[in-house]
Amino acid sequence: MRETVRAWLESGKVSMFLGYRLLEGHPVPHLFRRDRLEELEAFVVSPTRYPLEKLAMEILAAEPEGRLGLLARECTGRALRVLSVLQQVDLERIELLPVACCPSPLHPNVTCSYVEPSETRVGKEKWGIDGGVDLEAMERMDGEERFERWMYEFEKCLKCYGCRDICPVCVCKDCSLHNTDLIEGGWLPVEVPLFHLVRAVHMAGRCIDCGLCEEACPVDIPLRLLYRKVTAIVKDLFDYEPGISTGTLPLGLMGDEEIRRLTAHQVA
Amino acid sequence: MDYKLVPSVCSYCGTGCGVLFKVMNGRLVGTLPLKTHPVNEGKLCIKGWNLHEYVNHPLRLKAPLIKINGRFRKVSWDQALEFTAQRFQEIRDRYGPESLGVLVSAKITNEENYLAQKFARVVLGTNNIDHCARL
């Protein structure tokens, strides 16, 4: 894979490549360039994941002439498609270098941090929801138990906004989590389940199920499961799958005004 | 355009979470949790997530200030240290070493905390030392 990146940079297929390098023992995202090919010695593919799509967005905006190679898991491809629908990236300027990730008998050597089994804790089993639980198992519970368990999870929230900050498809300039008509600012604990449901609603038609939010959550709220439910509803109602469907979002949740704000700098 | 990601340690509290600074053209533009750091394992609190903000903040103090005639004025480090040493000496001579105390911090290293208590005990001559973790 290292040699492919070298060949891409040398041939000018791409002017820069965003992958990972080993730095002080940590795999961290790194922008490789043609004039610093020796840095490829530290090139690494590891289970560690960062929102490379979001970094790619910043890099392409700062270097309007550049073409970017990108190490891509399946979720990276889906995230880029959503960002393209939101007019945040130009897919023509990105070349993907695929890396195996989703667990299946066909891919025994998966490289995704999410595949590592999550730790089940006594409290989670008794009162909460374990990260490994699937949607079907959840729906078999009666409504009251499900609500109790979700509330147990939501009440732990520290309001760090990590789920939004790490999210590869959260790009709004005007975030509804800061809208004081919806959520009171400057207070802890957060109002539950409102805070999490506001974010869940805004993930409709956008969440690409990468699981980065859940990995970033300091109190292990099973966010991926929550957004899976939202995605399932969008699929049922509109037959729309974020990151797979190519058209625009079926719901105008972002609003035309937000799209205008987001694309304002591109026009100028 | 120069873009790199630089691992560091959060400077907000004593926990020592690993962070990853986004640096564009030599300027900090963002913070990510360092996913492989043994302390925080890819998670951060709200302060850590916004660590880059105070570095570039316009209100950040970049030089020592001394209050002269009721107003803070920018001075050099030499002037500030000279002034502080002189005032410490005056206070100690007039009221005794027990009138002085040192508060140390979780934001500095063990070694710096050690030096601070040494300074308090040996130079100032007081055992009045406390730490922000106890406040």
Side-chain angles (χ1 to χ4, degrees):
Chain A
M1 194 163 279
R2 180 182 291 133
E3 290 318 307
T4 312
V5 177
R6 189 190 301 274
W8 281 17
L9 287 169
E10 276 177 346
S11 70
K13 183 175 182 173
V14 295
S15 58
M16 46 199 170
F17 187 92
L18 184 61
Y20 294 94
R21 72 164 164 170
L22 206 58
L23 182 63
E24 295 164 19
H26 298 281
V28 300
H30 185 65
L31 193 62
F32 296 93
R33 284 183 184 270
R34 192 181 178 176
D35 54 357
R36 295 195 305 261
L37 284 175
E38 69 282 358
E39 289 177 351
L40 279 170
E41 289 307 311
F43 180 90
V44 67
V45 177
S46 82
T48 312
R49 293 184 303 151
Y50 284 88
L52 291 188
E53 315 78 17
K54 225 174 190 175
L55 307 186
M57 220 173 83
E58 290 171 8
I59 291 164
L60 287 171
E63 197 158 304
E65 302 301 313
R67 269 186 69 76
L68 182 71
L70 189 59
L71 191 76
R73 297 188 163 89
E74 279 185 37
C75 54
T76 312
R78 295 198 299 272
L80 285 173
R81 229 162 287 143
V82 170
L83 290 175
S84 159
V85 166
L86 298 174
Q87 302 175 39
Q88 294 305 294
V89 289
D90 179 1
L91 295 182
E92 300 291 307
R93 293 175 60 203
I94 298 176
E95 205 68 55
L96 298 183
L97 183 61
V99 49
C101 62
C102 288
S104 91
L106 295 174
H107 292 308
N109 299 316
V110 291
T111 48
C112 172
S113 50
Y114 202 84
V115 177
E116 286 163 23
S118 64
E119 241 175 276
T120 305
R121 293 184 194 97
V122 181
K124 278 233 171 215
E125 220 165 89
K126 216 167 170 184
W127 302 293
I129 301 162
D130 190 47
V133 171
D134 59 25
L135 212 49
E136 291 73 32
M138 240 4 246
E139 312 234 296
R140 277 197 295 275
M141 285 176 201
D142 67 73
E144 203 172 318
E145 183 183 357
R146 225 183 312 157
F147 184 73
E148 289 292 317
R149 284 181 180 267
W150 274 115
M151 288 300 274
Y152 169 85
E153 295 292 343
F154 292 154
E155 277 166 2
K156 294 185 293 184
C157 180
L158 301 175
K159 212 181 180 187
C160 71
Y161 297 93
C163 47
R164 176 203 60 186
D165 291 341
I166 200 103
C167 178
V169 294
C170 263
V171 290
C172 295
K173 299 250 186 303
D174 194 3
C175 177
S176 49
L177 295 181
H178 291 309
N179 184 331
T180 46
D181 290 336
L182 292 169
I183 291 153
E184 202 173 353
W187 284 98
L188 266 176
V190 288
E191 197 181 334
V192 290
L194 186 70
F195 185 85
H196 302 87
L197 294 188
V198 166
R199 185 168 144 78
V201 166
H202 285 245
M203 282 289 103
R206 278 211 255 178
C207 176
I208 43 98
D209 197 31
C210 67
L212 282 173
C213 49
E214 199 169 308
E215 276 185 7
C217 182
V219 293
D220 293 329
I221 302 175
L223 294 165
R224 197 177 191 182
L225 187 64
L226 179 67
Y227 306 142
R228 269 184 184 165
K229 177 67 189 171
V230 175
T231 303
I233 294 171
V234 173
K235 171 119 173 61
D236 280 352
L237 290 178
F238 303 100
D239 197 27
Y240 186 90
E241 288 177 274
I244 295 164
S245 308
T246 45
T248 50
L249 301 162
L251 302 163
L253 277 176
M254 292 246 305
D256 295 342
E257 191 51 43
E258 185 60 44
I259 291 266
R260 255 199 299 282
R261 251 196 299 271
L262 279 169
T263 53
H265 67 282
Q266 292 163 0
V267 182
Chain B
M1 191 267 300
D2 183 47
Y3 190 86
K4 52 184 179 191
L5 289 117
V6 183
S8 187
V9 175
C10 182
S11 51
Y12 263 123
C13 82
T15 306
C17 293
V19 295
L20 196 57
F21 285 123
K22 295 198 254 183
V23 184
M24 188 177 279
N25 297 326
R27 194 179 165 85
L28 292 189
V29 292
T31 313
L32 289 168
L34 188 57
K35 293 224 143 190
T36 41
H37 198 274
V39 171
N40 54 321
E41 298 178 336
K43 299 150 200 298
L44 283 177
C45 75
I46 188 160
K47 292 195 286 178
W49 270 105
N50 296 287
L51 192 54
H52 57 284
E53 283 189 354
Y54 78 76
V55 176
N56 298 317
H57 200 279
L59 292 180
R60 184 180 173 189
L61 290 180
K62 290 175 182 161
L65 305 175
I66 294 180
K67 205 176 227 179
I68 302 165
N69 298 331
R71 275 192 62 191
F72 279 115
R73 281 174 210 279
K74 221 181 254 185
V75 295
S76 73
W77 277 107
D78 280 348
Q79 281 174 290
L81 289 171
E82 187 71 33
F83 177 82
T84 313
Q86 201 191 325
R87 286 290 292 142
F88 270 153
Q89 217 148 22
E90 281 170 23
I91 293 166
R92 196 181 61 167
D93 290 349
R94 190 160 169 197
Y95 302 104
E98 286 302 300
S99 62
L100 295 166
V102 174
L103 294 176
V104 289
S105 168
K107 289 187 185 186
I108 60 178
T109 63
N110 267 342
E111 290 74 12
E112 287 164 328
N113 276 318
Y114 175 83
L115 282 175
Q117 65 82 32
K118 208 68 176 165
F119 171 76
R121 291 198 165 103
V122 177
V123 180
L124 299 179
T126 176
N127 283 327
N128 297 333
I129 303 143
D130 215 328
H131 188 273
C132 75
R134 263 168 44 98
L135 295 180

